[in-house]
Amino acid sequence: MNRQIKFCLLILGLFQITPVFSQHRSWVKDSLGHYEKTFWSQIKSQKPFEARNTIKAIVSNASEDLDPAVFDFLRTTLKKSKEIQDADVLGNLEMGLGTLEYYKGDITAAKEAFKRAKTIYSNAKMPNEKAGMAMNIGVMQEKGGFYDSAILNYQEALPIFQQEKDTLSMASVNENIGLAFVKRSQYQKALEYFTKAESLIATYLDSLDNRWIGLYINTNLAWIGLNRQEEALKVLLKALRVAEHNKNKVAIGKINYRLAGIYEFLGDDQKRYKALMTSKTNFKDNQNLLDIANLNSYLLEYHFDSKDLDSAVFYAQKCLEFYEPNGFTLDAGIIYGMLGNVEMEKENFKDAISYFKRALDNFGEDNPQESAGYLFNIGIAYNKIGDYKSALEFIERSLAIRKNLNIPADLQESYQGLAETYHRMGNYQKAFENLTFYQAYKDSVFNETKNKQLAELETQYETEKKDKAIADLEQEKELQNLRSEKQQAQIYLSIGGLVILFGVAGLFFRQSTIRKKYNDELETKNREIAKQSAERELLLKEIHHRVKNNLQIISSLLSMQTRGLKDEKMKDAMKESQSRVKTMALIHEKLYQYENLSKINMQEYIQQLSDFLTQTYRTEKEINITIDAADVNLDMDLAIPLGLITNELLSNSLKYAFEDRHEGEIIINFSQKVPGSYSLLIKDTGKGLIENLDIENAKSLGLKLVKTLTRQINGQLRIEPQPGASFEIEFSEQALAA
């Protein structure tokens, strides 16, 4: 390819990190007039090659400060096209204008300029130059969110570059196609093209050339899309090493705001903030408005996550000031979506709906997953303001798209939204049906994780088998070497010694073979046992997970039924039943989350149980619950009775202990006196129990349960009715009572 095409070819990853700095002295003021006179002199003298080089120099210098005078020069010169006979010069003028418009951030104007240049080159039968413009038009289409059109333009250029064996341009095309597939969420396909680009670039550039930065940044996007954050971090750090080596400030800034995105996923807010500030510092003199807008979008997300909503709105407006007028449709849509999230946080649901609808307008058929997400958000917002008909309409539209995409996590979300909406409408049958679908897809997400773990386990097992086979071959090779050495020694030995050696060698070899066979069998059995054990653990986790889900459905049904009751006594009875079911569900939830499938951490369990009951029996009274629980792990047979006991006593205190007062305290103390011996104390500062309470003949179902469960764990129950109620149970780890 000739120099002109290489000069104008735009590479998405590379362009966005091209350093652009303001100068202390304006180049336009000192030199543009001279270059303009030189250009027209070359045209009149019919020196097109020199004229093209002059245009190149003008555009190269103008890219540093994007002075409007240079744009005026290019547009004015193009209006005098009849005075310029050479098609290549006209093409370079349009191409230079398009390049500067792109640097300024106006992709619409840039695309039109590149289209005019392509037409000029096509009419002049200049295929290489035409291919370069097709490439640049593809970049503009991609920036506007038209990915299919972008790929078609790239594919138009690729065979021409291949025919010319233009390695640099082939690498650029493959990289841009890869980025288009990233935008279409086809991340594995994107990595294939990035790998092709990498192999092409490696043939002509060293590892610290600036050209690598764009490719590394784009490859990082594909790894993030595949949720492979470690690989994404590694490739970004490679880009940072190149940028720091070349002292490329703009590149360092761009890489750091992307690092902030990874640190967000990893939950490291300190590194996330530091990366954003590093980016902001390096962008201090950057005149590339696209880079600044992208940084502002990351700052918007940071402040939203930090609940600094006013700052989030400020950065959102800064982003829109650039994205909207310059044709960055999808980026503007994302910002409107974030503004919708801000209004949801503020509980301004009508404003949230307005922003989500504006976000939806910016996404078309090429972005079904994003469109489905905004439809769902609109439905949830309508749900919050009580417009259930509209809520159902938008959530159903979201579900229809998500069924085609078949992404379990998204389907799970839609069914949960439908269940909540039908529940608010009082249609408990529909609510239950959608809740069942929600739980099914929740199981599906869990099973994906389980299958991935099994696949990794299988891969590890197969790798160990291959390693063992290699080790066996090496051992066999060593034995052959030993035999060879023995044969050399046999030449110098007597016949008698030879016989003895053969006998000893035979005995040794036999013993070695037997020992090796025994070790191989033992190792194989150990692997099988380990594999079966891992599979059993996964199966047990799934069982606990499903039991928890079933109990959760029962709890949800009880909750729905409670809302339809008018009798307060019946409501209380249903709430009590719901809390008992939830108490048992928490046990199974803990079990499938832990590595140890038989033990429950009582400190975490009691805290979660307390949080649930406080929410269930929420009141305006100032009731403080203090928990002091030993960090002890108990098996399920002990944890479930203790959980139910705690549920009954804590519920009783929350409902009745403070009927005649506005504040109070409940204390839960779970301690280990000696190894294997424990005490559970639950007391409150309320009105206390009636004098001479006979728990053996109590009519309360809750107290009967406490008595029965205490007997089940072979515990001793002590009750102090006044002042305030106090229940203390002492028990030991031993076989449970029948």
Side-chain angles (χ1 to χ4, degrees):
M1 177 187 281
N2 59 35
R3 288 176 298 170
Q4 286 78 12
I5 299 303
K6 289 183 180 179
F7 161 67
C8 78
L9 195 62
L10 297 179
I11 305 162
L12 285 174
L14 184 60
F15 160 70
Q16 292 177 1
I17 52 84
T18 303
V20 183
F21 305 102
S22 296
Q23 295 180 323
H24 297 295
R25 189 164 57 97
S26 172
W27 171 85
V28 171
K29 181 179 178 181
D30 295 338
S31 305
L32 181 59
H34 166 73
Y35 275 97
E36 185 175 358
K37 289 179 182 178
T38 301
F39 171 78
W40 283 113
S41 173
Q42 292 163 342
I43 292 297
K44 290 177 181 178
S45 303
Q46 295 186 348
K47 296 178 179 178
F49 180 78
E50 288 81 354
R52 291 196 301 269
N53 283 338
T54 299
I55 297 168
K56 177 180 177 180
I58 291 172
V59 173
S60 178
N61 283 288
S63 67
E64 296 188 353
D65 54 15
L66 301 173
D67 195 294
V70 179
F71 290 84
D72 291 339
F73 161 73
L74 291 170
R75 294 189 184 103
T76 302
T77 304
L78 283 166
K79 289 179 181 178
K80 302 176 182 179
S81 59
K82 291 183 179 179
E83 300 178 31
I84 304 171
Q85 301 299 317
D86 189 86
D88 203 2
V89 174
L90 284 171
N92 271 265
L93 284 165
E94 291 285 12
M95 183 168 50
L97 179 60
T99 302
L100 293 180
E101 292 285 11
Y102 183 29
Y103 287 172
K104 191 174 70 174
D106 190 342
I107 61 173
T108 302
K111 180 168 62 176
E112 293 306 314
F114 290 137
K115 283 182 177 180
R116 293 192 296 270
K118 183 182 176 185
T119 300
I120 292 170
Y121 289 135
S122 180
N123 292 336
K125 300 190 184 305
M126 301 171 69
N128 286 6
E129 289 78 0
K130 177 185 174 183
M133 292 307 97
M135 181 74 171
N136 289 353
I137 293 167
V139 173
M140 301 304 105
Q141 297 281 26
E142 189 164 329
K143 283 294 179 184
F146 305 105
Y147 307 127
D148 290 337
S149 298
I151 291 173
L152 287 174
N153 277 282
Y154 298 149
Q155 289 175 339
E156 179 184 350
L158 188 57
I160 298 172
F161 296 144
Q162 288 172 334
Q163 185 176 356
E164 295 295 317
K165 297 182 180 179
D166 186 345
T167 307
L168 184 151
S169 298
M170 284 191 292
S172 299
V173 175
N174 278 289
E175 183 176 353
N176 282 14
I177 292 175
L179 190 55
F181 278 116
V182 166
K183 298 294 179 62
R184 291 178 61 179
S185 301
Q186 295 177 256
Y187 304 113
Q188 199 62 52
K189 193 80 173 174
L191 283 176
E192 293 175 13
Y193 281 95
F194 290 149
T195 302
K196 290 178 185 178
E198 184 175 358
S199 63
L200 289 166
I201 293 172
T203 62
Y204 66 88
L205 290 179
D206 66 63
S207 61
L208 291 175
D209 191 279
N210 261 326
R211 174 66 181 83
W212 287 103
I213 298 174
L215 179 61
Y216 288 148
I217 289 174
N218 291 334
T219 305
N220 155 76
L221 296 176
W223 285 122
I224 288 175
L226 291 169
N227 202 25
R228 302 279 292 277
Q229 302 296 328
E230 290 186 5
E231 285 83 354
L233 182 59
K234 286 177 185 176
V235 77
L236 265 190
L237 292 176
K238 287 170 70 175
L240 185 60
R241 182 171 69 91
V242 176
E244 289 177 340
H245 172 80
N246 293 301
K247 298 180 180 178
N248 191 333
K249 285 189 174 182
V250 176
I252 294 169
K254 183 178 179 62
I255 294 164
N256 268 281
Y257 71 60
R258 293 187 179 278
L259 282 171
I262 294 180
Y263 291 137
E264 174 192 359
F265 179 87
L266 297 175
D268 194 331
D269 285 338
Q270 187 174 358
K271 285 186 177 179
R272 180 186 180 189
Y273 181 75
K274 182 180 178 182
L276 288 171
M277 292 303 100
T278 302
S279 178
K280 197 170 185 178
T281 300
N282 281 276
F283 278 174
K284 182 179 179 181
D285 297 320
N286 187 7
Q287 300 301 309
N288 190 323
L289 300 180
L290 176 60
D291 283 339
I292 295 170
N294 289 339
L295 171 60
N296 286 335
S297 72
Y298 278 87
L299 287 166
L300 157 62
E301 290 184 14
Y302 173 78
H303 286 291
F304 176 77
D305 292 341
S306 302
K307 304 301 181 186
D308 185 359
L309 301 182
D310 290 337
S311 295
V313 171
F314 169 79
Y315 283 108
Q317 296 300 337
K318 298 284 285 185
C319 291
L320 290 173
E321 286 171 10
F322 174 80
Y323 287 146
E324 282 199 305
N326 291 296
F328 289 84
T329 306
L330 297 184
D331 297 282
I334 291 170
I335 300 304
Y336 279 123
M338 287 298 297
L339 284 170
N341 292 335
V342 169
E343 296 305 325
M344 288 290 284
E345 283 289 323
K346 293 180 177 180
E347 298 187 358
N348 297 331
F349 301 119
K350 290 185 178 179
D351 291 338
I353 291 170
S354 175
Y355 281 125
F356 287 141
K357 285 184 176 179
R358 294 185 73 175
L360 186 62
D361 290 340
N362 285 38
F363 287 86
E365 294 181 359
D366 287 341
N367 311 96
Q369 188 173 6
E370 289 82 0
S371 296
Y374 290 121
L375 285 167
F376 176 80
N377 289 351
I378 293 168
I380 292 300
Y382 273 122
N383 195 336
K384 296 292 185 183
I385 61 177
D387 186 350
Y388 303 126
K389 182 179 178 181
S390 297
L392 287 176
E393 176 193 344
F394 281 94
I395 297 176
E396 289 283 6
R397 286 172 61 189
S398 168
L399 180 60
I401 297 173
R402 287 173 167 179
K403 282 180 178 179
N404 290 330
L405 297 174
N406 197 29
I407 300 173
D410 289 352
L411 288 167
Q412 171 189 335
E413 182 182 63
S414 288
Y415 282 119
Q416 185 180 23
L418 286 173
E420 181 181 342
T421 304
Y422 279 120
H423 179 233
R424 286 171 174 255
M425 294 171 67
N427 189 337
Y428 300 122
Q429 181 179 351
K430 284 283 189 181
F432 174 68
E433 290 173 3
N434 285 282
L435 187 63
T436 303
F437 281 122
Y438 159 73
Q439 292 290 357
Y441 280 102
K442 194 173 182 181
D443 283 343
S444 178
V445 173
F446 175 79
N447 287 333
E448 282 185 6
T449 304
K450 180 198 71 172
N451 291 334
K452 182 179 178 182
Q453 290 172 336
L454 282 173
E456 290 174 353
L457 185 66
E458 188 68 30
T459 301
Q460 182 181 357
Y461 176 66
E462 292 298 327
T463 302
E464 289 176 356
K465 282 175 64 178
K466 290 178 182 177
D467 291 343
K468 180 181 179 301
I470 293 170
D472 288 346
L473 287 173
E474 291 177 350
Q475 188 175 2
E476 183 63 28
K477 185 177 179 181
E478 290 177 4
L479 287 172
Q480 289 175 354
N481 291 337
L482 285 173
R483 292 193 198 104
S484 177
E485 292 174 2
K486 289 176 184 178
Q487 288 173 356
Q488 292 294 327
Q490 287 169 2
I491 298 173
Y492 306 102
L493 294 176
S494 63
I495 299 299
L498 183 63
V499 172
I500 294 171
L501 281 174
F502 266 121
V504 172
L507 179 62
F508 174 77
F509 183 76
R510 176 178 172 78
Q511 290 176 340
S512 176
T513 302
I514 294 171
R515 188 180 301 109
K516 181 176 178 298
K517 181 179 178 182
Y518 173 77
N519 288 339
D520 288 348
E521 290 176 353
L522 183 60
E523 190 174 351
T524 300
K525 289 179 180 178
N526 285 339
R527 283 203 199 97
E528 288 295 332
I529 291 170
K531 182 181 177 184
Q532 291 171 5
S533 177
E535 290 173 348
R536 280 196 298 270
E537 285 186 8
L538 285 172
L539 182 59
L540 281 172
K541 283 187 176 183
E542 184 173 3
I543 290 170
H544 285 301
H545 180 70
R546 291 181 183 277
V547 170
K548 188 274 296 184
N549 282 350
N550 290 335
L551 290 171
Q552 187 63 47
I553 289 176
I554 294 170
S555 179
S556 299
L557 285 171
L558 290 171
S559 177
M560 292 177 189
Q561 191 65 39
T562 301
R563 294 184 182 225
L565 295 174
K566 296 182 180 180
D567 189 316
E568 292 300 324
K569 290 185 178 180
M570 287 296 294
K571 280 187 177 181
D572 288 342
M574 295 294 280
K575 279 187 178 180
E576 288 174 2
S577 298
Q578 184 186 358
S579 67
R580 289 162 188 156
V581 172
K582 181 67 175 179
T583 300
M584 292 184 287
L586 275 176
I587 292 286
H588 292 281
E589 182 177 359
K590 286 291 179 188
L591 284 172
Y592 79 76
Q593 290 175 347
Y594 289 162
E595 289 298 324
N596 188 331
L597 297 177
S598 62
K599 296 288 186 180
I600 303 294
N601 184 284
M602 295 304 294
Q603 186 175 20
E604 295 179 8
Y605 176 55
I606 292 174
Q607 183 64 58
Q608 279 192 287
L609 183 58
S610 170
D611 293 342
F612 166 72
L613 291 173
T614 304
Q615 182 66 23
T616 301
Y617 298 101
R618 53 184 176 271
T619 177
E620 296 179 357
K621 297 181 179 181
E622 296 287 338
I623 309 299
N624 182 39
I625 300 178
T626 303
I627 299 174
D628 182 12
D631 192 9
V632 173
N633 295 321
L634 296 181
D635 61 35
M636 186 171 65
D637 290 337
L638 274 174
I640 287 180
L642 284 173
L644 289 169
I645 290 171
T646 304
N647 171 71
E648 297 303 327
L649 296 177
L650 181 54
S651 300
N652 194 62
S653 291
L654 288 169
K655 288 192 295 182
Y656 305 120
F658 306 101
E659 289 178 331
D660 58 349
R661 58 201 71 190
H662 296 288
E663 60 182 24
E665 183 179 16
I666 301 173
I667 298 171
I668 303 175
N669 184 292
F670 179 71
S671 59
Q672 182 175 209
K673 294 186 174 182
V674 296
S677 180
Y678 306 95
S679 171
L680 173 65
L681 173 65
I682 300 176
K683 63 180 180 179
D684 59 59
T685 60
K687 64 182 182 180
L689 303 173
I690 61 174
E691 292 291 343
N692 302 319
L693 174 66
D694 183 4
I695 193 172
E696 295 296 331
N697 297 312
K699 295 182 179 180
S700 167
L701 176 59
L703 291 178
K704 287 180 179 179
L705 274 173
V706 171
K707 177 187 67 174
T708 303
L709 292 168
T710 302
R711 186 187 305 121
Q712 182 181 329
I713 62 173
N714 291 323
Q716 298 294 324
L717 173 63
R718 287 198 298 273
I719 302 174
E720 294 292 338
Q722 295 289 342
S726 173
F727 296 83
E728 183 175 12
I729 299 170
E730 294 183 352
F731 64 97
S732 301
E733 280 188 292
Q734 56 187 354
L736 299 184

